[in-house]
Amino acid sequence: MGPTRLPGTPRLLRALNDRAALELLLARGPLTRAQLGELTGLSKVTASQLVERLEQRGLVSRVGEQAGGRGPNAQLYAVTPSSAHVVGVDVGPDRVVAACSDITGAVIGRVEQSTKDTDDPVGVVHNAVVQAAGSAQAKLASVRRVVLGTPGLVDPATGDITFAFNLPRWHRGLLAALREDLHTPVVFENDVNLAAVAEAHTGAGRGVDDFVLVWAGVGLGLAIMRGGRLHHGSSGAAGEIGYLPVPGASIPRDVSRRAKPAFQQIAGADAVRAVAREHGFRAPNAADAIRAAIAAGTSGGPVLDEVARRLALGVASTCVVLDPPLVVLAGEVGQAGGSALAERVQHEVAAITLVTPRVVATEVLAEPVLEGALRTALDAVRDEVFGSTVG
């Protein structure tokens, strides 16, 4: 009896080669057939067949010619931007921001709307998605996925919102309503988790499989990246560090009454402003207070020291459990504090625990939640579109 032939192997190899070629085109820009062959290790004939296959499926197109050399100029090919679109949405208590990107990752449409005068979440998201796609001149039918970042808990089993901070109208059942309304896959994700996705792709978490992102702003949150993947926990509540019972704060026993939890009491934005006021720095918000303290030089040092001491209680509690090599400080306070605050937190964590993680400030300075939503949507859609290239 001869060796067993593996069914579908040629199809699998074609799929792997197609995917590799598409990723190269995204990363390196327009390439010729010969260049694709060299970079993928494929023969000229196989590379030509690959390009023809992808061109027939509308995934790549000719974008010009490469001059030089003998004979006719070589055709340059690139991923067709309009082959698919995604929309990312950052939902807050007062506004919603939506952006539309093509499959190359280029953001080609963006809208921002106030949500103060409406109690209709489906209508808010519908308008934002439709207008973002419209501003990108993309048909709604070409939007393959919508990812929404919200401040709250997302059930890992159902994907639905179970509790949304500051968004009382957002509740279970909303996911199905949005999917039915938009006729496209819709995904919810916690906003801090999306900020960590952005940090992993373009920020301080690049090339780091394991890190945590601490969001220090109006609220406090944590995202956990393990092995390059987000950790959500059994109920989606992993990272709700505002509820850490820490020294120096009363511990509410009924969280449903909206009482401020312990760590939030001592290290949230209100507490940061209060610390700054005690040292003579008055500002309209916590981020401005931190910036004022940094600008003041040595006289602002005590403010940074105290804020770092408070933040370190939550960071240390996290790090003795997870022992990550890297902690990224993000959010309004983390970003405003920069390296001056991050270095103090690093020193304090090392002083009170056995672990010594590197603590750095975020490098994603513009709309990290929106960037993370777009990246999450793109990763999924590329898997769908690029993964189905075998005809």
Side-chain angles (χ1 to χ4, degrees), residues 21-103:
L22 288 162
E23 295 290 354
L24 277 168
L25 288 170
L26 284 173
R28 303 283 287 266
L31 297 168
T32 65
R33 296 184 184 207
Q35 288 170 332
L36 271 174
E38 291 169 10
L39 291 168
T40 56
L42 299 174
S43 69
K44 289 183 179 179
V45 172
T46 304
S48 289
Q49 291 172 342
L50 178 153
V51 170
E52 288 172 9
R53 198 161 55 238
L54 297 178
E55 199 173 10
Q56 286 172 1
R57 298 185 67 88
L59 294 178
V60 304
S61 51
R62 302 176 198 191
V63 293
E65 296 180 342
Q66 185 180 63
R70 295 181 179 179
N73 293 339
Q75 295 284 342
L76 284 166
Y77 294 87
V79 173
T80 306
S82 60
S83 56
H85 295 91
V86 299
V87 172
V89 186
D90 179 5
V91 181
D94 299 321
R95 65 168 195 154
V96 58
V97 182
C100 180
S101 130
D102 62 35
I103 202 164

Side-chain angles (χ1 to χ4, degrees), residues 10 99 132 137 147 152 163 179 188 221 289 294 309 314 316 337 343 356:
Q137 295 184 319
V147 174
F163 178 69
R179 286 174 173 171
F188 285 127
I294 291 173
R309 184 192 71 78
E343 288 166 7
T356 56

Side-chain angles (χ1 to χ4, degrees), residues 73-227:
N73 293 339
Q75 295 284 342
L76 284 166
Y77 294 87
V79 173
T80 306
S82 60
S83 56
H85 295 91
V86 299
V87 172
V89 186
D90 179 5
V91 181
D94 299 321
R95 65 168 195 154
V96 58
V97 182
C100 180
S101 130
D102 62 35
I103 202 164
T104 71
V107 177
I108 53 176
R110 184 184 184 281
V111 294
E112 183 172 337
Q113 298 174 352
S114 170
T115 57
K116 290 181 179 179
D117 301 324
T118 180
D119 59 359
D120 174 20
V122 174
V124 165
V125 174
H126 175 92
N127 289 338
V129 170
V130 168
Q131 290 181 30
S135 70
Q137 295 184 319
K139 295 179 180 178
L140 197 57
S142 74
V143 175
R144 298 284 293 261
R145 183 165 293 236
V146 177
V147 174
L148 297 104
T150 66
L153 306 187
V154 179
D155 185 339
T158 66
D160 219 338
I161 286 180
T162 56
F163 178 69
F165 301 98
N166 302 322
L167 296 171
R169 301 285 180 178
W170 293 64
H171 49 70
R172 286 184 188 274
L174 186 55
L175 184 64
L178 285 170
R179 286 174 173 171
E180 184 178 349
D181 176 77
L182 292 168
H183 304 291
T184 195
V186 178
V187 176
F188 285 127
E189 181 57 272
N190 173 266
D191 53 0
V192 179
N193 283 343
L194 290 179
V197 170
E199 206 73 52
H201 279 273
T202 61
R206 284 191 310 274
V208 183
D209 283 342
D210 298 343
F211 71 91
V212 297
L213 180 140
V214 175
W215 186 273
V218 175
L220 293 164
L222 175 84
I224 304 161
M225 197 70 77
R226 301 285 289 175

